[in-house]
């Protein structure tokens, strides 16, 4: 851990600004039109109920930190949040127990292996490695405050709903379908227990994790949830504080390193934003101090990331100037080299 005693970070260093609203609307429509033509990728079918998703659905939504929303396409279509829940459960747990404890118990390094890898756990002496892979997500869910699984569920459901600014509903069909087929996650939880890294009932924690994955959201919800992380923890639509600015910073750093699984490096190289994907086809990408993109399109690449969603984020990251790693020379030096 690298602790520093820096107290006063200049506010102008933390924020930038987005283009005008009319430019955002135009660029969002342009990204939609370009990416709607893409037909590659496969709809997830390892959870039987997910295989029924319509591959043609496509929505792009952007929420600015002042609460202004922009949208195009199927942004009101409901889908299960799946792994995107991991980002927001991590934020709730960091808020409740502090980031040092999450670092100690779960870890924050990329595994370089698929999200449901068992080998990653074995290779790392049972260390889940990060909260975005299933092992780390189940371990993180077990850290949610609550004496019983039902109390933890209440905290988790209430917290995720505050990020979205509305009460999220459960898709019981997807929940039942995944519960009947999630033998690998049950194995991962049992393995965590065997390494003495899960201090709660493994079957109950997998059930809780499966429930959090089965909450229904829209691309518009994802944009608002992401914009809350972009806005120092205040939901820009409801005005409610959900988590602290420090928790947003910690959560976004984990998303940058691990949010797109083993393709996180390529994602950062191309798009340069913290982000999280889910197997239903959702992606949330966050531009700190500016806003967040919510994308939905069910066909996925081999790592489980939406193909159209990734392309749209790549386009918009460039067009809107969102890449965190982009910089320009100081104007005086720039003039010397002109
Ligand atoms: O654990 C699972 O298999 C799912 N409920 C969530 C996986 C997921 O979304 C992976 N992300 N792309």
């Amino acid at each position: 851990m690298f602790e520093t005693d820096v107290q006063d970070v200049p506010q102008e260093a933390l924020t930038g600004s987005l283009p005008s609203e009319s430019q955002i609307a135009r660029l969002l429509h342009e990204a939609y039109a370009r990416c709607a033509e893409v037909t590659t990728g496969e709809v997830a079918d390892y959870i039987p109920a997910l295989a029924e998703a319509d591959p043609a659905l496509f929505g792009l939504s952007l929420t600015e930190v002042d609460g202004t929303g922009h949208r195009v396409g199927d942004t009101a279509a409901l889908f299960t949040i799946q792994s995107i829940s991991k980002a927001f459960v991590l934020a709730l747990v960091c808020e409740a127990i502090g980031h040092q404890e999450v670092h100690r118990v779960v870890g924050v390094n990329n595994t370089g292996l698929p999200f449901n890898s068992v080998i990653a756990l074995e290779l790392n002496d049972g260390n889940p490695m990060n909260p975005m892979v299933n092992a780390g997500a189940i371990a993180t869910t077990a850290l949610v405050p609550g004496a019983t699984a039902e109390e933890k569920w209440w905290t988790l459901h209430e917290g995720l709903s505050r990020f979205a600014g509305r009460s999220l509903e459960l898709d019981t069909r997807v929940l039942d379908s995944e519960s009947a087929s999630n033998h690998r996650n049950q194995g991962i939880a049992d393995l965590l227990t065997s390494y003495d890294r899960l201090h709660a009932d493994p079957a109950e924690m997998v059930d809780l994790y499966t429930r959090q994955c089965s909450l229904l959201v829209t691309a518009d919800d994802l944009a608002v949830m992401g914009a809350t992380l972009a806005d120092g923890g205040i939901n820009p639509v409801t005005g409610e504080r959900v988590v602290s600015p420090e928790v947003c910073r910690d959560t976004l750093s984990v998303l940058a390193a691990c949010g797109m699984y083993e393709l996180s490096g390529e994602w950062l190289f191309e798009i340069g934003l913290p982000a999280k994907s889910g197997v239903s086809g959702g992606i949330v990408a966050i531009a700190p101090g500016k806003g967040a993109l919510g994308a939905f399109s069910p066909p996925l690449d081999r790592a489980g990331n939406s193909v159209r969603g990734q392309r749209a984020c790549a386009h918009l990251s460039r067009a809107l100037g969102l890449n965190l790693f982009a910089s320009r020379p100081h104007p005086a030096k720039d003039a010397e080299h002109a």
Side-chain angles (χ1 to χ4, degrees), residues 104-129:
R104 188 183 70 78
V105 178
V106 186
V108 292
N109 281 319
N110 200 313
T111 64
L113 288 164
F115 67 90
N116 56 0
S117 173
V118 176
I119 294 176
L121 255 187
E122 292 280 41
L123 286 176
N124 292 293
D125 200 26
N127 186 330
M129 295 302 284

Side-chain angles (χ1 to χ4, degrees), residues 168-188:
L168 299 177
E169 286 184 18
L170 203 53
D171 186 329
T172 51
R173 238 171 63 74
V174 171
L175 174 61
D176 292 346
S177 180
E178 182 162 5
S179 299
S181 57
N182 63 357
H183 308 292
R184 182 177 278 262
N185 285 343
Q186 292 170 31
I188 286 173

Side-chain angles (χ1 to χ4, degrees), residues 148-229:
T148 61
E150 272 321 300
E151 276 182 31
K152 285 182 193 291
W153 171 246
W154 187 89
T155 308
L156 199 156
H157 179 232
E158 205 257 343
L160 262 58
S161 296
R162 288 202 299 148
F163 270 111
R166 67 180 190 91
S167 182
L168 299 177
E169 286 184 18
L170 203 53
D171 186 329
T172 51
R173 238 171 63 74
V174 171
L175 174 61
D176 292 346
S177 180
E178 182 162 5
S179 299
S181 57
N182 63 357
H183 308 292
R184 182 177 278 262
N185 285 343
Q186 292 170 31
I188 286 173
D190 285 340
L191 200 53
L192 282 171
T193 305
S194 80
Y195 278 106
D196 197 24
R197 292 197 182 256
L198 191 67
H199 300 137
D201 182 82
E204 281 186 355
M205 292 310 107
V206 173
D207 177 57
L208 209 50
Y209 163 78
T210 312
R211 273 197 262 173
Q212 79 183 46
C213 288
S214 303
L215 286 168
L216 284 163
V217 291
T218 64
D220 285 331
D221 289 327
L222 291 183
V224 174
M225 294 173 88
T228 303
L229 292 176

Side-chain angles (χ1 to χ4, degrees), residues 12-330:
E12 61 273 21
L14 296 176
T15 59
S17 50
L18 286 163
S20 68
E21 285 188 22
S22 60
Q23 270 178 299
I24 296 176
R26 181 178 60 75
L27 293 167
L28 206 62
H29 279 81
E30 187 181 285
Y32 180 87
R34 285 191 185 200
C35 300
E37 291 168 7
V38 177
T39 54
T40 49
E42 300 292 333
V43 174
D45 59 4
Y46 78 99
I47 299 170
L50 293 188
E52 296 160 18
D54 177 357
L57 286 171
F58 182 30
L60 292 176
S61 185
L62 185 150
T63 299
E64 299 186 50
V65 288
D66 68 1
T68 308
H70 307 265
R71 52 192 56 82
V72 54
D74 303 309
T75 62
L78 288 163
F79 56 94
T80 50
I81 189 169
Q82 298 295 341
S83 282
I84 301 171
S85 63
K86 295 167 178 171
F88 298 96
V89 173
L90 167 64
L92 296 174
V93 169
C94 281
E95 182 78 18
I97 67 171
H99 89 183
Q100 272 94 344
E101 194 59 4
V102 172
H103 180 263
R104 188 183 70 78
V105 178
V106 186
V108 292
N109 281 319
N110 200 313
T111 64
L113 288 164
F115 67 90
N116 56 0
S117 173
V118 176
I119 294 176
L121 255 187
E122 292 280 41
L123 286 176
N124 292 293
D125 200 26
N127 186 330
M129 295 302 284
N130 72 68
M132 299 300 123
V133 291
N134 290 8
I138 294 166
T140 306
T141 294
L143 297 172
V144 170
T148 61
E150 272 321 300
E151 276 182 31
K152 285 182 193 291
W153 171 246
W154 187 89
T155 308
L156 199 156
H157 179 232
E158 205 257 343
L160 262 58
S161 296
R162 288 202 299 148
F163 270 111
R166 67 180 190 91
S167 182
L168 299 177
E169 286 184 18
L170 203 53
D171 186 329
T172 51
R173 238 171 63 74
V174 171
L175 174 61
D176 292 346
S177 180
E178 182 162 5
S179 299
S181 57
N182 63 357
H183 308 292
R184 182 177 278 262
N185 285 343
Q186 292 170 31
I188 286 173
D190 285 340
L191 200 53
L192 282 171
T193 305
S194 80
Y195 278 106
D196 197 24
R197 292 197 182 256
L198 191 67
H199 300 137
D201 182 82
E204 281 186 355
M205 292 310 107
V206 173
D207 177 57
L208 209 50
Y209 163 78
T210 312
R211 273 197 262 173
Q212 79 183 46
C213 288
S214 303
L215 286 168
L216 284 163
V217 291
T218 64
D220 285 331
D221 289 327
L222 291 183
V224 174
M225 294 173 88
T228 303
L229 292 176
D231 189 32
I234 293 186
N235 181 318
V237 176
T238 64
E240 189 187 356
R241 173 166 295 290
V242 184
V243 290
S244 70
E246 291 74 23
V247 161
C248 294
R249 179 201 60 202
D250 297 339
T251 304
L252 295 180
S253 69
V254 174
L255 296 194
C258 316
M260 304 301 274
Y261 305 118
E262 67 273 33
L263 300 185
S264 296
E266 279 176 43
W267 170 275
L268 271 195
F269 191 64
E270 296 292 345
I271 294 155
L273 290 173
K276 186 73 207 84
S277 61
V279 282
S280 291
I283 296 182
V284 61
I286 298 112
K290 295 179 179 171
L293 289 165
F296 172 55
S297 167
L300 309 176
D301 69 8
R302 66 182 161 82
N305 303 325
S306 167
V307 176
R308 282 198 201 108
Q310 288 182 88
R311 295 236 187 147
C313 289
H315 182 86
L316 288 166
S317 166
R318 280 178 207 152
L320 296 170
L322 304 179
N323 191 315
L324 292 180
F325 304 104
S327 62
R328 292 229 177 98
H330 186 279

